[in-house]
Amino acid sequence: DDPQEVIVFNSKGGESQHFLTKKNVKPKFLGGEEPELRPGDDRRRVMAEWMASPRNPFFARNIANIVWAQFFGKGIIDPVDDVRVSNPATNPELLDKLASQLTAYRYDFKKLVRDICTSRTYQLSAVPNATNAGDEANFAKAGVRRIRAEVLLDALGSVTGSAEKLRGLPQGGRAVEIADGRTSTYFLTTFGRATRETPCSCEVKMEPNLSQALHLLNGDAVNAKVLNGGLVKKLLKEGKQPSDIIEELYLRALGRPPTDAETTKLQTFFTDGKKPDVVLNDLFWALLNAKEFVFNH
């Protein structure tokens, strides 16, 4: 098809008539406030200024709730786009405080993210205790949740050194940078990337399923990246000992060194004349399939 040129302009007008009286209806913000509009005023600017102002109690609360859900796996109002009287916030005081902070920060998301990530709530353990084992509503413990599709694919590429060439992006482009919802891969589809056909957050599928497990275990998503990245081969060529490479793989995949028990157990796999590169590549594959890598916790 031939590309069509679309011209968009601001008429600085756009009156709407009441369907019964046929008289022009004055513009009104959600909640009842009527803006003062002079002839020629850009109504979009007036709308934007009100939306991000303290006079609007809705916008900052919803944005703060979405940011909170990004880090906790669920919102203070959950689902985040199901905002209604019959679905109240589990902690309205907390949500109000986050909203007021975001407004005071003039919508500087980095400052709000810093507040959330340095909070005691965010730093709670995912291991339940006697007081919070059954509490799923009050953020009394950290939630274990699978990493989003785009982030998981980028993490696999970064850890193994074998990033995919994604359609529409230059070599080295990351899955989180894909703007077109129609651009996808088998991996992203399997792990629930949103098609972006609607604004509903429900498009992102975060629930783990059997297809995802089989794809990681039997597909080429992990095994091919381990081999193509050649990390183990490179480290052996540099003269590093298997014990040093094991620690490197743990730090890359899990962000921690192996425990003494893990190290002792892994040493037994280097007996009977097994090739170190085979054992280490198998270990790398196992770490990338571990729940500790695939899930936030």
Side-chain angles (χ1 to χ4, degrees):
D1 295 336
D2 294 332
Q4 296 182 349
E5 185 175 302
V6 178
I7 299 175
V8 179
F9 67 95
N10 178 17
S11 68
K12 298 183 179 181
E15 303 293 343
S16 295
Q17 290 185 344
H18 193 283
F19 71 100
L20 289 179
T21 65
K22 305 302 180 183
K23 293 182 179 180
N24 289 341
V25 179
K26 290 184 177 181
K28 182 183 295 186
F29 296 129
L30 185 65
E33 182 182 346
E34 293 184 359
E36 294 184 6
L37 290 172
R38 296 168 297 182
D41 278 351
D42 187 339
R43 299 185 178 201
R44 296 173 302 175
R45 179 181 292 277
V46 175
M47 176 66 178
E49 289 175 349
W50 171 82
M51 183 175 292
S53 74
R55 308 195 315 275
N56 175 14
F58 310 107
F59 186 64
R61 289 180 96 248
N62 283 308
I63 295 297
N65 189 50
I66 291 171
V67 175
W68 180 273
Q70 178 70 25
F71 290 96
F72 289 90
K74 63 184 296 184
I76 303 169
I77 297 175
D78 195 69
V80 294
D81 43 19
D82 185 16
V83 181
R84 49 188 165 85
V85 174
S86 55
N87 184 36
T90 57
N91 191 328
E93 294 82 7
L94 170 61
L95 187 55
D96 289 340
K97 180 61 176 178
L98 291 171
S100 65
Q101 286 292 88
L102 184 57
T103 303
Y105 292 152
R106 298 180 61 84
Y107 290 86
D108 187 331
F109 283 80
K110 289 184 178 181
K111 291 182 179 180
L112 184 66
V113 168
R114 180 191 60 199
D115 288 347
I116 292 174
C117 292
T118 57
S119 69
R120 176 181 175 275
T121 305
Y122 182 71
Q123 297 175 42
L124 289 173
S125 171
V127 179
N129 57 40
T131 64
N132 63 22
D135 191 341
E136 300 297 334
N138 297 303
F139 306 99
K141 60 182 182 298
V144 178
R145 62 193 189 280
R146 205 207 69 223
I147 298 175
R148 291 171 67 110
E150 301 96 321
V151 178
L152 182 57
L153 181 58
D154 288 339
L156 284 169
S158 178
V159 170
T160 60
S162 177
E164 291 188 25
K165 172 64 175 72
L166 299 167
R167 190 178 69 183
L169 294 176
Q171 187 65 42
R174 299 166 64 84
V176 292
E177 298 174 322
I178 300 175
D180 189 348
R182 296 168 297 180
T183 299
S184 190
T185 66
Y186 182 75
F187 182 97
L188 293 175
T189 301
T190 301
F191 282 83
R193 178 179 184 265
T195 57
R196 302 186 183 182
E197 294 176 350
T198 73
C200 180
S201 65
C202 58
E203 277 202 347
V204 178
K205 305 299 181 185
M206 294 296 293
E207 300 79 12
N209 57 53
L210 182 59
S211 296
Q212 297 165 4
L214 290 174
H215 187 56
L216 290 176
L217 289 168
N218 302 326
D220 60 359
V222 176
N223 194 53
K225 288 185 182 300
V226 168
L227 296 177
N228 294 338
L231 177 64
V232 168
K233 182 179 180 181
K234 173 177 175 291
L235 294 175
L236 286 171
K237 190 175 180 179
E238 292 174 356
K240 291 192 175 182
Q241 296 299 311
S243 58
D244 296 326
I245 298 176
I246 289 173
E247 183 168 359
E248 171 79 13
L249 297 180
Y250 264 82
L251 290 172
R252 275 178 167 264
L254 307 183
R256 65 169 177 85
T259 63
D260 292 338
E262 289 169 335
T263 300
T264 301
K265 185 175 182 179
L266 289 170
Q267 292 299 334
T268 64
F269 291 103
F270 292 92
T271 59
D272 301 329
K274 292 182 180 179
K275 294 183 178 180
D277 61 327
V278 175
V279 176
L280 291 167
N281 276 328
D282 285 348
L283 169 62
F284 202 7
W285 174 89
L287 291 174
L288 297 176
N289 274 283
K291 291 181 180 179
E292 193 172 347
F293 177 76
V294 179
F295 287 79
N296 281 326
H297 51 85

